[in-house]
Every structure is written in C-alpha cells, then in structure tokens.
Amino acid sequence: MHNHGLLVGERGAFSNNAESSSELPLLCDSKGEVRQNSPMLNLHKTWRGRCVWQDAPNIPTHAELSSENQYLRLELESLRAQNGQLSRNKSSVKERSPRSLSTWSNRKHRPDHDEEGLEDRLWDSLSAASIGSGSTVTSWADIVLPDRNCSKQLIAYDKKWNSWVHYAVEYPRFENECDSFIFAIEAGSTIETQNASWMAVYFSVLSAALLMMGDDEGEGQVLPRGTQNRRSTSRMWYDAAIFALWRADFMRAPSIHTVQAIAVLGMCFNTWGDIELGQHMWTSAIRVAGRIGLNTPYSRAAGSCLSEEAQHRLWWTLVICEWLNLPYRPPVIDEIDFDVPLPRVMSHKDDGNSAHDQVDYHIFMARSAIVVYRFRATIRSGLKSLDELTKAVRSADEELAQIIDTLPPHLQPDIDTANEEIRQIEFDQPWIKWQRYDLTLVLLHLRLRLHRNLQAQWLSDPDEYSWAKAVSVSSAMSVIWINRNWDQPSSLRKQWALSHHIFVSAILLVRQCETGGEGEVETYTEAIRAAIDLLESVKEWNMLAHHAATILRDCMGRQFIN
C-alpha cells in the first residue's frame, strides 16, 4: 500500500555520509524549466511557489465540435495543414500537431500509463512468472508454527511498523488473541481444531512482519525448527494464510477475518510477484467487506473484532489500495457506494502520547487516493480537449498541494531535521521518520503520474507543455535521489511500492534520453543506473524489483540510451 515535486531537508537528512551523495535532483523554476537546485530542497515551498499554475490565457478549444465526425474532420485538417495543403485555420479552434490530437484520441479512456508500455511490460512479466509457482502449503501438516517468543517478536514488529500500513487488526486485542492461540497450542490443541479464518489473519501478519523486517532485527529472530531461512519461512506463512482462507471457505462464508487477512496480504502479493492472485483476492475482500457492512458507519458483523474507528481504518485501507491500484483498472469501489468517514486521530491514546499518532499517515494516504480517484474518473469520462486535460492535471496537483497543508508538523516534508527536538522525537518513535520519507516519495510519485498524462504532448510540443515535462522529470530525479541517499538500509526498504516508484521514475527518464541534449542524457543515464542499483539491492526479497531491474537493463542494452 502503497512523493512529489521535490525534496526535503539538506543532504545530511538523507545520508550520514555527505560525501556519498550524488548530484541533487533537477527541479523546475518559476518558468517551468528544469534546473539544478541548491542543497536545501523545499517540497512545500517549491510546490506552492513554482508548481501551482494559474489558468492559462483563454485558448480556443474543441468544445464547439458537437460530434465525433467534427472531431475527426479537425484532425484531418491539421494533417493537411502540416503538409502545406491548408492555410491557417480561421476557426476558433487552435491548431494542434497531428501527434497531439492522435495521441489524445487514443488515450481518452485509459488514464495513467507510460507511452512506451514499459509499465505494462513489468506487470505482464510478473504475471507470467507467477503461473505454475504453486504453494508450499497443501495441508495443515505443511505449516510450521512459531514458538511463543518468535510469535511475540513478530507481532510486536507488526504493531510498530506494519499495523499503520494495513490497519487490519486492532491492538492490544489482536495481541491477546495471539497469546491465547499459542497457549492453546502449547496446551495440546492441534492447528486443525482452530478457527481457520482467524489463522489466516495470524499467518498473514507473521509473513508480512518477517518479509519487511530489516537484517538487524531479522538476524536476531529465532525461527521455528524445521524452517530454513527468513525468506522461505515468510513464504511458507504467506501460503499458509491463503490455505487457511480456502479452508475457511471464504468465498461462501463472509467474515471480517477474510477482509483482515487479505488487507495484510496486500503488503505481500506484489512483493512475491503474485499479481494475479492479489488482484482477485483484493476484489474478493472488497466484496466481502460490503457484504458484512464494513462500508457503513458501523458493522455489527465486524464488531467482535474491531471497534468503530478500527473498522473505518480498515475500510479505508481497501479504498486506498483500490483507488491507487496498480496496474490500473477501473475501480470496483465508487465514492457514492459507501458511507464511512475518514480515519481520525484519537484524542486519547493508551500509551499517553497524543502528540504523534500513526494514523496521520493513513489519513494522508486516504486524501491522496481521493484526489487520484477523482482525477482518473475525470479522464475516463472522456474529456473533449487537451485543454480540459491540462486543467484536470493542474487541479489535481493543487489538491495534492493542499494535502501537505493538513499534515502535522512532524510529517511536513520541509521539516528541519537538524532540530534537536525533532531528532529526539524520531529517536523515541522511529516510525515517524519512515512515514515522513515515505509520504514524500508518494507525493513525488503521484505528481509524476499526474503530469505524465501530458507526456505525448510535451514530446510533440515542447514549448507549450514544457512545464509538465519539468514537473515530471524533477519528480523522477527526486524519487531516485531520495532513495539513493536515504540512511535506511536496503533491507528495510523491500516494499514493492518503493521499488515501483523507482521503476516509474526511471522509465520516464529512459524516454527523455531519446530527446534530451548531451548534458541531460548524461544526467538521466546516471540516474537510471542508480535506479537499477537500488532495485538490485532488494531483488532477492522483492520479485517486482527483480523484474523491474531486468527491464531497465534491457532498455540500456538496446541503446534506448546512447
């Protein structure tokens, strides 16, 4: 589950070794041109000061064309004009290049894709590789249970690092349920006699925790007897969760446990390369959630496991991932289909710390998902002109900028990381730093995707759409630069979404290498190589990263970059 304009803080904020930092990312100036920025990168101010655009002067549109025949006639006239067969168009419609019109016609109902099809190639590659992969669990006897200590460590990791991503379980209730389960097993109960749907939740949490755990913590983890290593153990519990869902007959027996388990597995599907299964499972989870009333203010069916607020957070996990779905497909949730308020910060917390709440990140993701959902819906509705697309892009960009204003101080991208108070907060609650960096990457990624809808236009009409190119390129460079200089070890960055952000940034730069000047090509090539290195560093755990790196190496080898 799961990054904008520019960056945050000084070099030291991203790397303990300033000498290892690469060149700073390219940013767009007040004229929308790409330039090299100073060491202090301020996402919020850059966005507000340079990347929020005023309405362009009144430019005639195609609005008066009332039918598709008229639209096609305009395209034909433009083609003739290019060949010198037609004098200047005297109508109120501004002439556009044939490529611009033709491309627009083909894109009307397919938002958010790269012109070269490299992103589609990534998903197709993952899909093909997953066929016939099979499962390591075909019976209860194939499942190796953790001992009490191992279970406690993994549940504690989920509580600290994963729970605010999936929000599928509620603490301390789930923690107590896990203790009761282990106690029952220690007392002689067999796994076959336990609640299969609940065990699907339990195994999904174990798998995700071990999958996302860094090397420092993972190497100290005592694995169950009979297991080989962390990776294979995580995969075994992943397969166990899916096995338990089938044993619970989840397609016939709607249960909150089904929704919980699949919400957690959402962190694992693409990481393991199980893209097809993941999409089918996610759609099933949404269907089950609606069946038990999770799309309402309160579900009695879920009340035995989750409080009202916890239900809202889990529902929004489903919405966030569906509205930001990758690869893109028409969402199965419409905003008119549910009545669930956004997650909220609780005024009182059991730990006594109400100043910093992990749910702030979830609220940010929900609001960003709403912006993207509405933007994609606008594109799919069939806009009449490129001017309408341009306005839609700028409007969505401004809405994302407004979301930054709602972030609490400790998550603001331009926070002073050298401040001693901030350093102490991040030491006491290390998830804060991770959330801030991740939401910055999410904003950059979404901004790139928004403006990439105009890629065909800036390639065919560089002058008119240079601002869209500047935003996309600077966002792409910043995503790679942040990941390259982030002081978190690669073992803590195995999430498939992080790798996908890097890949999308790199493939945009691949295309720009075809049209850029010598200096630009050199800069972009270096960034693409850095992206490949980043993907290579996590490919052992992350199948998406493995396939993404393969595609980028192929691009280099086929001399897309000279």
Side-chain angles (χ1 to χ4, degrees), residues 23 102 244 284 310 332 481:
E23 291 185 2
S102 175
S284 297
V332 299
W481 188 85

Side-chain angles (χ1 to χ4, degrees), residues 259-270:
V259 183
Q260 290 176 295
I262 295 175
V264 179
L265 290 173
M267 301 181 68
C268 308
F269 289 127
N270 288 350

